[in-house]
Amino acid sequence: MIQSFLEKFISLASENPNEIPSFTQIYKDGNLLAEKFNQVEENTNTHMHSEILCIESAQRIIDNKFLNDCIMLTSIEPCLMCAGAIIHARITEVIYFLEATKTEGITSLSIESIYSKNHFPKLTLQHSNEIESIVKSFFKNRRG
């Protein structure tokens, strides 16, 4: 699952050099349910994060707003907007490969906020030097 994710991320990042390199997959029972790459730059739309697009796709596929027993793999720690969607969709676990360092991510939610939810996913950081390198290169090139 993880190796497949990393290979697909690297491929899509090279195919989409003008898009923020964020890729997300959702698995249920070990089977790939949905996958999406960011479309923020392509559509000039700030909410078209890979996590949001992937959640929407998975919900359509299983015809349910809840993604119970699903695991999300995503290249970068989900932002607060995506965190809200993840929580409301009841995704069981989120595995991410690069911490959000410039903005607040899902791990920045306060303990009080987390405990006030009736669902909160297990969070797993599995750092990837490859993803870090691709993301850093993207933003370095963007800034000139």
Side-chain angles (χ1 to χ4, degrees):
M1 187 165 65
I2 290 176
Q3 189 57 38
S4 170
F5 175 89
L6 292 172
E7 290 170 5
K8 186 76 179 244
F9 169 80
I10 291 166
S11 171
L12 288 171
S14 67
E15 291 171 18
N16 297 283
N18 297 320
E19 186 59 71
I20 298 164
S22 179
F23 175 58
T24 302
Q25 292 181 329
I26 295 177
Y27 287 84
K28 185 168 179 78
D29 301 322
N31 298 309
L32 181 62
L33 189 58
E35 63 181 16
K36 293 292 180 180
F37 198 78
N38 249 26
Q39 294 180 18
V40 171
E41 301 301 323
E42 176 184 334
N43 291 298
T44 59
N45 187 326
T46 58
H47 81 274
M48 295 191 84
H49 292 199
S50 63
E51 297 92 339
I52 300 290
L53 299 172
C54 199
I55 288 169
E56 290 175 345
S57 180
Q59 289 169 327
R60 278 192 304 276
I61 289 167
I62 65 169
D63 194 27
N64 195 324
K65 67 181 178 180
F66 297 124
L67 299 175
N68 296 313
D69 303 318
C70 286
I71 297 173
M72 172 184 279
L73 278 73
T74 190
S75 52
I76 304 169
E77 177 182 343
C79 71
L80 295 178
M81 174 183 69
C82 295
I86 289 164
I87 291 165
H88 289 291
R90 297 187 183 166
I91 292 173
T92 304
E93 181 176 5
V94 177
I95 300 170
Y96 59 101
F97 299 88
L98 186 62
E99 293 173 288
T101 56
K102 301 286 183 187
T103 61
E104 290 182 307
I106 194 168
T107 60
S108 68
L109 292 173
S110 69
I111 295 297
E112 294 82 11
S113 175
I114 291 169
Y115 283 120
S116 71
K117 312 293 183 231
N118 61 0
H119 168 80
F120 196 80
K122 175 183 176 189
L123 302 175
T124 305
L125 169 62
Q126 186 151 356
H127 185 81
S128 166
N129 290 330
E130 290 173 296
I131 289 176
E132 181 178 23
S133 175
I134 289 169
V135 171
K136 282 185 174 182
S137 291
F138 172 81
F139 285 108
K140 183 178 179 183
N141 291 338
R142 284 296 287 271
R143 292 180 184 111

